[in-house]
Structure formats: structure tokens, C-alpha cells
Amino acid sequence: MRWYNLCNKISLLLHALASAVGYFIMEVICRHSFLEAWNYMTEKPLVFAYNTAFIFTTSLIVYLFRRRCFWRVIVAIFWMVLAIINGVLLMNRVTPFTGPDLHLITDALKIANKYLPVAGVVAVCILFCILVFLLVLLFIKGPKYKGKLKYRYNVPLIIAAALLFAGTTQIALDKRILSNYFGNIAFAYEDYGYPYCLATTIFNTGINCPRDYSEREIARIENTEKNLPQTKEGEHPNILFLQLESFFDPTLVNYLDISEDPIPTFRKLMKEYSSGYYKVPAVGAGTANTEFESITGMSMHYFGPGEYPYKSILKETTCESAPYILKDLGYSTHAVHNNEANFYGRRSIFPNLGFDTFTSEEYMARENEKNPLGWVKDSVLTDEILKCMDSTQGPDYVYTISVQGHGAYPDEELLEDPQILVTGAPTEEENNKWEYYVNEIHEMDNFIKDLVNKLSDYPEDVVLVMYGDHLPTMGLTVEEVKNKYLFQTEYVIWDNFGLEKKDENIAAYQMAAEVMDRVGIHEGTIFRYHQARRNTRNYQVDLETLQYDLLYGERYAYGGESPFLRTKMRMGINDVTLDSIQMVSSSDFTYYIKGTEFTPSSQVKLNGEWYDTVYLNPSTLVITGTQLQDFDRLAVIQRSNSSTRKPLSKSYDRAYYALCDENPWKLDKQME
């Protein structure tokens, strides 16, 4: 009892000490090193003290409850779980856990099987159940504060502590102890601590209103574009973008010894066509942000740290983009991705970017070959790109996102007989990762060769932009790469009609405007801006103001209202149809379902219930085990390949009439 009373008297002191110890443990977990956490604490004591104060302030709520022990454990678990999540993520990617990742939890669940074995998932579930049981036991049996709860003092003091902490934050920012701009988010977490950086990425989102923002300022910016020529009349070429997952030149890594060139095709194209370094907004992850910049012409530099516009502003509004601008010139606009449709929310976001069609993995007809990690190989994309172009009479804009090079890369030997051997990494595990990666991008290079060969013979003019979306998840440092910069890959602008070779380094948000400029297209607010103002004075300052106006401001550039309407995007190039049915076995009631555009993701829905379906080929599905009756209703549904298995699109519902052999189908109604 004496110790209990003493602890109550000095509880705030113990509270602060526990916050410091707890925070140190968090940094050990996040940095995967006791020594690095110790160096951080001793070399940056003010930053360490600030983050300790952050945890201390958030845990003061325990003084509002009698079961203080229970609530202290809850707060401690909250912070430790965040630290463990970050620590696990940093084992598989360079980018730490950020606020936008809270919106990506569904995507994380979709690929969890690629990072964790089934046994790992089961173990996590078991540990979670044990933890819940222990918490319930602590709540029931744990100690309670016996004294009087003085809310009239405790509540104001907690509020005062929160206000004091807010003031301390502002002072730390003013004195540059902290920063609210993260040029490199991974380095920012190391410099400013996990709690502060996580909170910043949660609450600091969007683009802040520039100080001089006004209608007059937007008019001034637009007046600087008057020297641009008019868009060239006549026919325009097909414009293709190919975003290659984690694709870059591994010979740029200083310490690697590679038995042969893994990307001979891409290297040859760089020598013969316009090429250079491609500045991207992410390292090791963040595909959707490179994609956003390349499609919209907007820079991620002005958004919140670690933000994904796909998970924030684009869920609320349309956005000027290359698809929208090119549609006004007669282009049809397509997206192609050999991964499931809902990853990064693309299925719901692409209509806000002006795409007419979206062909995801679920709409690719043949059984797609997968690599050892389960990602669909990029070779499937060649036919899908050509199918998009063949589907229309006019020019096409096709944005293709590959997936084969996706990590995390295995630290054990997965390839039985690798074509390319890799040595030189500090450990055998890292050699295995690099060898797997190098052989995957070699296959991607072969895909590029096949695609370019087929486009060379295409009867229409084609411009094809190819680039990597970011460096692979290998923990590379600036000192380890020959180009001394982690936020860039390489690009090639290939064409089949003789564009002049022009080598330069370019940012992802500048590429669409550059390609349009080369083919004589000068349209769109953001794209005209890049064409007229790139490399001029105040280019970045005015770009920030313009981006704010188009996405968050009064849209003065559009006369006050966005002209872009959400498109009625079709999933796949053609509709899935259900045409006829044929009983092939009366003993077990086996039926052939006949139609068009079937894929392995097609499933029959019978009378509103999912029915086990076997895919045979693009025109035939098989169901068995139930005799169909008059008026049974059938439809074929394309279902997501994610764990949610959500419906993506469907055929018309049809009613079955078994006795009418000449006309066994009747169109019941069209389903939206």
C-alpha cells in the first residue's frame, strides 16, 4: 500500500519516464536497431524530447478514469502497434507508415499473402485474440484508483497541456527543430521521429492556399502562356504510356556484379530515341503518385507529406488530366493494368481522370502466367494494349501500369535456373533479392521488345513513353547509386514516325505536356503551363498556385467551375454477354454457359446467389450440380480478384426456359 500511495503521488513523473522509455522502444522497432535509436536520442535530444512530450500528452487521458492501469496499457498498445506496423513495413519497402496508409489498409490486406505466409497470418490472429482476452481480464481484475476524480481540475489541466504542446510544436517549427516539409519522407522519419511525422502525414494534407492567391494572380499566370502556337490540325498519333513497376537500370548500383545486361532492349532504345532520367515522387513504393503526376501534370511536391491524391482529393472531384484534354481532340482513353481493379482504388478514381475504359486483370481472357511471387507477368499486356487501339477508328490514349517487378523480393533462392547471376551485395540474402529482381526486369525487357516490334508494324502513328515508377525496395542509399539520386528512374520516348531524338532529364509531371508539345498539341490549363513556363523564373511558385486553383481553390482558370465531368467508364473493352446455355450431362446437370468476353474472373449468379463456376475459354463457362428450372435467372459477373471479391460488372440478367428448345432464352431486363 505504501508503494501504491507513493506511485500515486509521483504518477506524473513516472508517466513522463514511461513515455520516454516507451518512445525509445518505438524507435528501436522502427529503426530495427538499438544502436541507431540510441544515436538518434543522443544526437537529437530536443527532437526526442518533443516526441516524448507528444506521447506524454496523448496519454494524459488516463487521469479521467479510475482504471488508470487499464487505460495506460491501452495507450501503450496503441503506440506500440503503430511502431510494429512501421517496423514491418520498413522491412519490405523504403517508405515508412504514413497517414495515407490508413486509407490503404484494404490494399494492404489484398497483398498481405505476398508478404506474410499463411502461418504468419494465423499467428497474428491468435495473438490478437489472446491480447483481447488479457485486456478484458485486466479491465475486470485490474487495480482501480481509490481517490476522488476531480474533473473540474483534471479536464482543464489536460486541455492546458494540449495547448502548451501545440505551442511547443509551433516554436519547434519556427526554430527549425522540426519541419513540415518532407523532401524525402524516409529521411524525415529518421530526422524528426515517428510520432511527429505520422501525425503530420495524417493532418497535413492537400495543397495550402498560397499567400497571393487571387483571380488576378491566376490571370497573370495564364497570360505568360500567350506565345504558345495553336494545336496542329489534322490527325494526331496514338499516345501510349507504359509505367513499368520498379523498373530501373541495376548496373547503376555500385556494388553489384551482374553476369549480363538485364535490359538490352531498353538500353538500345535509349540510345536510338529520346531518353534521360525520369524524376519521380517516390522511392521503393508509391506507384500511384508517379501515376498521378504522369497523368495529370501536377507535382506531388505541393501536397501533404506522404499523401496519395487517389485516396484523398480524387475521391471527391474530377481533375484535369491528359485523358480529359485528349478526349476533346477525338481521342478514346484507356487504362490497362495486370493487377486487380480496386488496387489503389483505381476502379473508382479513373472515371474522375477521364478514362473511357479500364482493362484490369479480371478482364484479361487467358490464364495469366504469374511470377514466383504471384504477380501477373507483363507479357499479357501486349495484346491488351493492341486491343485498346484496335477498338476505335480514331486515335487512342492508353495508360498501362505493369506489375511484374513488384516486391518484396525474396531473400532465399526462388529461381531454380536463373538466366542472369548477381553477386557483390553485402550479404547472401541481398544477393538473392537482387538476382530475383534482375531476372524479373529481364523478362520485362523482353516484353518491351515484343511490344515495340508489334507497334513498329502498326498501321497508325504511335508514340510510346516507357519508364520505371520508382526504384525497387532494396534500401539503396545515395552513395550506392552512380547517379547519386534515389528519386529518378529512366525513360524512353519511342515512336514509329520519326520524331527527333531529344535527350534530357524530365519530371513525371512534365512528361505528358512534353509529349503533347512534340506532336503539336497545346491544350489544357496545366499542360499549356508546362509547355510555356518550364525552366522559367517562378515556374515552381506559379505551378503551386495553379494546382491549388484547379483542385482546391475557386477554379478561376476554368471561369469558376470545373468543365470535367466524371466519365461512365466501361470495365474491359467489350461488354460481357450471356448468349445461350447447353446441357451436356443430365446425370449431374452439367451446363455450358455460352457468351463472350469470359475470363477466369467470370462467375455465374443464379437466382441472386453466387454459383460455383469453371472457366473453359473466353466463350464458355461450366456450372454443374443443379437442374435449371423455368424462370431461373442467370447472369455472368466479373468479380474482383482481391480478397473482397466485389462485383465489377455483369451481363444482362436472363430468364431460362428449359422447354422452349428453339428459343431457350428471353431477355428479362437490362441490369445497370
Side-chain angles (χ1 to χ4, degrees), residues 226-453:
K226 288 184 176 179
N227 293 330
L228 283 176
Q230 295 295 313
T231 294
K232 184 178 69 175
E233 296 183 358
E235 296 184 357
H236 298 289
N238 297 284
I239 298 176
L240 279 54
F241 274 64
L242 174 57
Q243 181 168 291
L244 298 159
E245 173 63 44
S246 300
F247 188 89
F248 99 120
D249 182 1
T251 65
L252 293 174
V253 180
N254 294 324
Y255 56 75
L256 289 182
D257 294 316
I258 305 173
S259 62
E260 64 179 82
D261 186 0
I263 55 170
T265 300
F266 196 85
R267 198 178 310 283
K268 180 175 182 291
L269 294 175
M270 286 188 69
K271 293 178 180 178
E272 297 175 354
Y273 296 89
S274 299
S275 62
Y277 284 115
Y278 198 65
K279 184 180 178 182
V280 295
V283 176
T287 295
N289 282 348
T290 301
E291 188 177 315
F292 171 79
E293 287 197 347
S294 300
I295 292 173
T296 66
M298 294 191 181
S299 171
M300 286 300 306
H301 180 82
Y302 307 111
F303 287 85
E307 182 173 357
Y308 287 88
Y310 277 19
K311 291 293 182 177
S312 54
I313 186 63
L314 286 189
K315 296 178 72 174
E316 305 170 8
T317 184
T318 57
C319 175
E320 180 174 318
S321 65
Y324 274 124
I325 299 307
L326 293 174
K327 281 164 68 72
D328 289 339
L329 296 175
Y331 279 76
S332 298
T333 59
H334 315 274
V336 179
H337 183 32
N338 54 334
N339 195 18
E340 64 99 359
N342 288 310
F343 199 48
Y344 276 118
R346 288 185 176 99
R347 186 200 174 201
S348 60
I349 295 303
F350 279 168
N352 283 344
L353 290 173
F355 284 100
D356 295 322
T357 73
F358 177 24
T359 303
S360 61
E361 177 191 358
E362 293 90 346
Y363 292 83
M364 297 179 181
R366 60 192 177 92
E367 290 281 5
N368 299 321
E369 185 180 358
K370 296 186 178 182
N371 69 13
L373 292 183
W375 302 106
V376 176
K377 293 192 174 183
D378 289 347
S379 56
V380 70
L381 296 171
T382 300
D383 290 341
E384 299 302 331
I385 293 170
L386 293 172
K387 188 187 297 183
C388 291
M389 298 169 66
D390 292 340
S391 68
T392 68
Q393 294 295 322
D396 294 282
Y397 170 88
V398 185
Y399 196 95
T400 303
I401 308 129
S402 98
V403 76
Q404 181 171 351
H406 206 294
Y409 310 107
D411 55 14
E412 72 277 6
E413 291 188 27
L414 279 188
L415 305 176
E416 294 182 0
D417 186 23
Q419 179 177 338
I420 302 175
L421 303 178
V422 179
T423 57
T427 65
E428 190 61 30
E429 289 77 12
E430 290 184 59
N431 276 330
N432 291 334
K433 289 182 179 182
W434 277 112
E435 190 165 271
Y436 174 87
Y437 168 78
V438 164
N439 281 275
E440 287 302 307
I441 65 167
H442 182 61
E443 288 192 11
M444 295 167 70
D445 189 73
N446 290 334
F447 150 63
I448 292 170
K449 181 178 181 180
D450 179 56
L451 176 63
V452 169
N453 286 340

Side-chain angles (χ1 to χ4, degrees), residues 340-608:
E340 64 99 359
N342 288 310
F343 199 48
Y344 276 118
R346 288 185 176 99
R347 186 200 174 201
S348 60
I349 295 303
F350 279 168
N352 283 344
L353 290 173
F355 284 100
D356 295 322
T357 73
F358 177 24
T359 303
S360 61
E361 177 191 358
E362 293 90 346
Y363 292 83
M364 297 179 181
R366 60 192 177 92
E367 290 281 5
N368 299 321
E369 185 180 358
K370 296 186 178 182
N371 69 13
L373 292 183
W375 302 106
V376 176
K377 293 192 174 183
D378 289 347
S379 56
V380 70
L381 296 171
T382 300
D383 290 341
E384 299 302 331
I385 293 170
L386 293 172
K387 188 187 297 183
C388 291
M389 298 169 66
D390 292 340
S391 68
T392 68
Q393 294 295 322
D396 294 282
Y397 170 88
V398 185
Y399 196 95
T400 303
I401 308 129
S402 98
V403 76
Q404 181 171 351
H406 206 294
Y409 310 107
D411 55 14
E412 72 277 6
E413 291 188 27
L414 279 188
L415 305 176
E416 294 182 0
D417 186 23
Q419 179 177 338
I420 302 175
L421 303 178
V422 179
T423 57
T427 65
E428 190 61 30
E429 289 77 12
E430 290 184 59
N431 276 330
N432 291 334
K433 289 182 179 182
W434 277 112
E435 190 165 271
Y436 174 87
Y437 168 78
V438 164
N439 281 275
E440 287 302 307
I441 65 167
H442 182 61
E443 288 192 11
M444 295 167 70
D445 189 73
N446 290 334
F447 150 63
I448 292 170
K449 181 178 181 180
D450 179 56
L451 176 63
V452 169
N453 286 340
K454 291 188 176 180
L455 291 177
S456 297
D457 298 328
Y458 200 75
E460 300 173 6
D461 290 347
V462 179
V463 178
L464 170 64
V465 184
M466 296 174 282
Y467 56 88
D469 58 351
H470 51 69
L471 266 61
T473 313
M474 294 293 187
L476 289 168
T477 65
V478 172
E479 293 75 18
E480 293 171 339
V481 291
K482 294 175 183 176
N483 52 317
K484 301 298 180 183
Y485 191 53
L486 299 180
F487 287 81
Q488 63 184 15
T489 57
E490 290 171 301
Y491 76 89
V492 173
I493 303 177
W494 176 91
D495 70 277
N496 64 355
F497 58 96
L499 284 178
E500 180 184 356
K501 179 175 172 61
K502 178 183 176 184
D503 293 343
E504 60 179 336
N505 299 338
I506 195 168
Y509 57 85
Q510 298 168 333
M511 181 57 82
E514 178 68 19
V515 172
M516 291 184 198
D517 189 37
R518 294 193 189 189
V519 299
I521 296 175
H522 306 285
E523 304 292 339
T525 303
I526 199 76
F527 303 108
R528 284 176 56 84
Y529 177 82
H530 289 307
Q531 291 172 355
R533 293 288 309 281
R534 188 174 153 203
N535 298 326
T536 64
R537 185 181 179 185
N538 294 327
Y539 169 60
Q540 293 293 343
V541 174
D542 288 349
L543 177 59
E544 179 181 12
T545 302
L546 190 59
Q547 286 188 194
Y548 175 81
D549 181 62
L550 300 186
L551 275 182
Y552 298 93
E554 300 299 324
R555 294 183 168 90
Y556 294 128
Y558 300 142
E561 185 176 352
S562 173
F564 306 113
L565 300 177
R566 181 178 172 89
T567 57
K568 295 181 179 180
M569 186 181 73
R570 177 202 300 272
M571 291 300 300
I573 294 298
N574 301 306
D575 286 332
V576 175
T577 67
L578 198 167
D579 299 331
S580 65
I581 191 167
Q582 175 186 357
M583 178 184 283
V584 294
S585 173
S586 58
S587 60
D588 58 358
F589 304 114
T590 297
Y591 296 87
Y592 279 174
I593 307 296
K594 294 289 186 176
T596 62
E597 304 297 325
F598 295 158
T599 75
S601 298
S602 301
Q603 187 169 356
V604 169
K605 207 167 192 180
L606 175 61
N607 297 323

